[in-house]
Amino acid sequence: MEFFHIKRDIPFMSYGKLTTAISLITFVLAVFFLVFKGLNFGVEFTGGTVIELRYEQPADLQKIRVQVDTLKYGESQVQAMGTTRDVMVRLPNIKGKTSAQLSDQVLQVLKQSRPDVKVMKVEFIGPSVGEELVSHGLTALTLVCLGIIIYLAIRFEWRFAVSAVIANMHDVVIILGCFAFFQWEFSLAVLAGVLAVLGYSVNESVVVFDRIRENFHKPNMRGKSVPEIIDNAITATMSRTIITHASTEAMVLSMLIFGGAALHGFSMALTIGIVFGIYSSVLVASPLLLMLGVSRDNMVKPEVIKEEAVV
């Protein structure tokens, strides 16, 4: 399906050095913010208290957030739990206060305006659990990257695998850098969004790489240079790229705008990841192929090259 067809190839590779420089600058800035500002880890990672509440009538989450913030316990979370009457409140660790004391104080504040609220469950998440989640999250990222490398190396060639992973890690670091710069809370939902971006971004890279590989074998591309072959591949997939990413971004933005606090971190990570995923798949991964020395010789079997030379 195509909404439009571009007749002339767009010279993307002529801007390869510029886009690579921009990517390098944004990558360095993201790393800088990660090192000097750090991530604002949520209760799942740092430990804290989780309070499950139930109202007899639908609850006003925004009003509950304002009331909980009056306790000045730091970064807190208030979100619905499946129904409009069930609410979950997450509080960070507070020195000198137990989970029971925290839940009692939260209940007292909320009962001032809504006497129909009651505590259903109180859980304490220790710091050791948070450390375990961090290690498991890093392990998940590592395994995903290794899986991508193996898959692309088998399906295409090692140069494609390396360029795709570098581009994907570029996306991940940019997302983490944005969360560090703005000090948005980094929760398990955000981690899930980052992992989703990895798979989403590599899918776009595979589409472009597949067309590049096809172009190396097309008879009408025999006289073309490698940059021209890559430009043709990107231009040929442009319509598909716009349709796919525009529809996906529309869905993600709807979650960001209308999903509330529960989906904010997840949808924000996806929003940033999709935008930079398009950029990296087209303007980072492809120029890296040229830098890594991809050519007709290492993409086409030797016997095929000999036959073409004879012809």
Side-chain angles (χ1 to χ4, degrees):
M1 178 180 178
E2 286 186 338
F3 281 165
F4 55 87
H5 179 71
I6 303 174
K7 295 182 179 180
R8 297 183 62 181
D9 294 343
I10 303 173
F12 290 102
M13 291 303 99
S14 62
Y15 305 104
K17 292 183 179 179
L18 175 62
T19 56
T20 303
I22 294 173
S23 300
L24 183 60
I25 292 172
T26 54
F27 184 87
V28 171
L29 285 174
V31 172
F32 174 82
F33 292 130
L34 280 171
V35 172
F36 291 97
K37 296 192 73 170
L39 291 172
N40 178 24
F41 287 107
V43 175
E44 300 98 329
F45 296 102
T46 60
T49 300
V50 178
I51 307 169
E52 295 182 10
L53 305 170
R54 174 165 292 176
Y55 287 81
E56 293 181 5
Q57 299 296 327
D60 186 345
L61 295 181
Q62 186 58 38
K63 188 175 181 179
I64 295 173
R65 289 190 188 97
V66 173
Q67 291 176 314
V68 172
D69 287 341
T70 59
L71 294 172
K72 296 182 179 180
Y73 285 153
E75 191 71 28
S76 60
Q77 296 179 25
V78 177
Q79 63 188 65
M81 293 180 58
T83 68
T84 57
R85 297 187 300 113
D86 295 316
V87 178
M88 179 171 62
V89 177
R90 297 183 182 181
L91 299 174
N93 282 323
I94 307 296
K95 291 183 178 179
K97 290 186 179 293
T98 64
S99 297
Q101 292 173 330
L102 291 174
S103 63
D104 289 340
Q105 291 180 357
V106 169
L107 186 62
Q108 290 174 8
V109 169
L110 296 180
K111 275 195 171 184
Q112 293 176 4
S113 59
R114 292 287 299 271
D116 60 332
V117 62
K118 58 182 179 180
V119 176
M120 302 301 295
K121 186 178 180 182
V122 178
E123 289 183 342
F124 173 74
I125 302 175
S128 60
V129 178
E131 293 176 2
E132 184 179 351
L133 287 173
V134 172
S135 63
H136 287 178
L138 292 174
T139 302
L141 283 173
T142 303
L143 291 176
V144 169
C145 290
L146 287 175
I148 290 172
I149 291 174
I150 294 171
Y151 166 73
L152 291 178
I154 294 174
R155 178 167 178 177
F156 297 102
E157 204 238 359
W158 70 267
R159 293 173 179 83
F160 289 83
V162 172
S163 61
V165 168
I166 292 176
N168 285 359
M169 293 311 299
H170 165 270
D171 300 340
V172 171
V173 172
I174 293 299
I175 295 173
L176 297 179
C178 288
F179 273 81
F181 177 74
F182 293 104
Q183 285 297 287
W184 294 327
E185 185 181 58
F186 189 85
S187 62
L188 283 177
V190 177
L191 177 59
V194 172
L195 293 175
V197 166
L198 275 174
Y200 185 86
S201 182
V202 76
N203 178 68
E204 181 62 27
S205 298
V206 167
V207 171
V208 177
F209 288 171
D210 202 43
R211 185 57 65 96
I212 292 173
R213 183 177 59 179
E214 288 179 6
N215 282 354
F216 275 110
H217 293 82
K218 287 182 178 179
N220 62 333
M221 290 287 172
R222 290 175 185 174
K224 301 283 188 179
S225 64
V226 175
E228 290 174 331
I229 290 174
I230 295 177
D231 288 337
N232 177 268
I234 298 174
T235 304
T237 59
M238 187 60 61
S239 178
R240 176 259 174 205
T241 298
I242 293 174
I243 295 171
T244 302
H245 292 291
S247 58
T248 306
E249 192 68 61
M251 180 272 295
V252 172
L253 285 175
S254 67
M255 286 197 301
L256 180 64
I257 297 171
F258 304 108
L263 293 175
H264 184 269
F266 176 74
S267 55
M268 181 61 74
L270 286 178
T271 301
I272 299 171
I274 289 173
V275 172
F276 279 95
I278 302 170
Y279 175 83
S280 66
S281 297
V282 175
L283 299 175
V284 177
S286 298
L288 283 174
L289 285 177
L290 292 177
M291 296 179 185
L292 292 172
V294 68
S295 66
R296 187 175 179 80
D297 294 339
N298 51 49
M299 287 302 300
V300 183
K301 294 181 180 180
E303 56 268 21
V304 177
I305 297 176
K306 290 180 180 180
E307 290 178 2
E308 292 178 355
V310 171
V311 174

